[in-house]
Structures are given as C-alpha cells and as structure tokens.
Amino acid sequence: MHVTMTVNGEEVERDIEPRVLLVHFLRENLGLTGTHWGCDTSNCGTCVVQVDGEPVKSCTMLAAMADGHSVRTVEGLAQGVELDPVQQGFMAEHGLQCGFCTPGMMLTARALLDENAHPTETEIREAISGQICRCTGYATIVRAIQWAAEHPSGTLVEAESEGEVEIVQSEEYMETDEHSHLEKGGVRS
C-alpha cells in the first residue's frame, strides 16, 4: 500500500504493509525514534504524536490511516535550533527523569496550549491523564506546561549558573559549545 503524508513539515511517501502501526512506521520507516513504543495497548501514552494537531496514540493507529494527513513527532517541535516553549519548560522545571514518557507528554502539552493558551492546573492534569509517568509524580510535568504557557514566545533557559534560572536570548544561548547538545534533539542525554 502506498501512503503519502506530511511528517514534521515534510511530505513523505512510502510503500508499506497495510497492517503497520503509525508508531512503527515513524520509528522503523522514517527513523524518528523520539516516538516511543511502550505498552502497545494504548494505556501508557508514550507513543503520542499529533495528527492534524490533535494528540493521537500512534500504537493504536495504522500508518495507512495517516495517509493524506499531517503528523508531528517530538523531532518536529523545535524550529531549527529554537526549542519549543514546551521543551524549554521541561528543561526549566525538570519535567522529566528517565525521559521515556517525555515526547508524548510534550506533544500533548503543545496540543493543549495550541487550543488553550492559559490552561488551569486541572485542565493540564486532564490533558495528560491518558499518559503514564512512573518517575516524576506529575508535579514537575504540570509546572513545565505552566512554564510554557507563561512563556509563549519561548526564551531559552540556562539553569546551570549558580543554580538560578536565567532567561537568555536563543542566539546567545546557542553560540556556546557548552549548549551544543541542543542541536542534537533538544534535551541533555
């Protein structure tokens, strides 16, 4: 079966088996391994991507169903080296520990903020309620999303100097070798 879709702003065409799940298509056919595959039963939410701007659990959607649609993965959140405010919020508020649920959480958060620029804590918790994080207890994830809502233009954060959060311009931030890891996916490994 031949499919054509837009993934992270670029049109892709592939011949695939009709039974291929979107999560496997993204990871195996396109090499976009930021989309994680966890439970395979749609319980954990680590596989969340956006399809036409809506969060979708890609382990329950056939790649063929995405034919003609726009898909966004975590690799498509940043604009070049400019991190999305959601990614910056996760850095500023330590919204991750092991990082396995983080891509799906970020895409859900971006969809929420695109729909509701100033969500309440209850609305944030409801939006991420279909996703499991076994590390953070959700408080830091909620704070990360609140940070992104408070900083919609996205100023990068440097939290390394003296333990304080300092807002700096992205061009200045990217000029140092110390932060070159951001060019390779947006978060420290």
Side-chain angles (χ1 to χ4, degrees), residues 43-109:
N43 289 319
C44 72
T46 63
C47 66
V48 169
V49 298
Q50 289 181 358
V51 177
D52 298 333
E54 295 294 322
V56 172
K57 292 181 179 179
S58 62
C59 75
T60 60
M61 181 176 184
L62 295 171
M65 295 169 69
D67 187 38
H69 294 277
S70 177
V71 178
R72 187 181 201 188
T73 69
V74 71
E75 290 91 346
L77 275 178
Q79 300 299 314
V81 296
E82 185 79 24
L83 295 180
D84 185 271
V86 170
Q87 292 170 305
Q88 295 172 42
F90 271 71
M91 288 172 55
E93 297 297 331
H94 310 286
L96 66 127
Q97 285 184 20
C98 81
F100 196 72
C101 71
T102 305
M105 289 284 189
M106 287 183 177
L107 287 158
T108 298

Side-chain angles (χ1 to χ4, degrees), residues 76-143:
L77 275 178
Q79 300 299 314
V81 296
E82 185 79 24
L83 295 180
D84 185 271
V86 170
Q87 292 170 305
Q88 295 172 42
F90 271 71
M91 288 172 55
E93 297 297 331
H94 310 286
L96 66 127
Q97 285 184 20
C98 81
F100 196 72
C101 71
T102 305
M105 289 284 189
M106 287 183 177
L107 287 158
T108 298
R110 172 48 43 219
L112 171 65
L113 294 176
D114 287 347
E115 184 178 307
N116 178 358
H118 304 287
T120 64
E121 180 177 340
T122 300
E123 290 169 327
I124 292 169
R125 288 183 179 278
E126 183 177 313
I128 64 173
S129 66
Q131 293 164 273
I132 296 172
C133 175
R134 294 185 174 144
C135 301
T136 67
Y138 300 96
T140 56
I141 293 170
V142 170
R143 284 198 305 266

Side-chain angles (χ1 to χ4, degrees), residues 139-155:
T140 56
I141 293 170
V142 170
R143 284 198 305 266
I145 298 168
Q146 290 170 326
W147 188 99
E150 293 165 7
H151 301 87
S153 62
T155 51

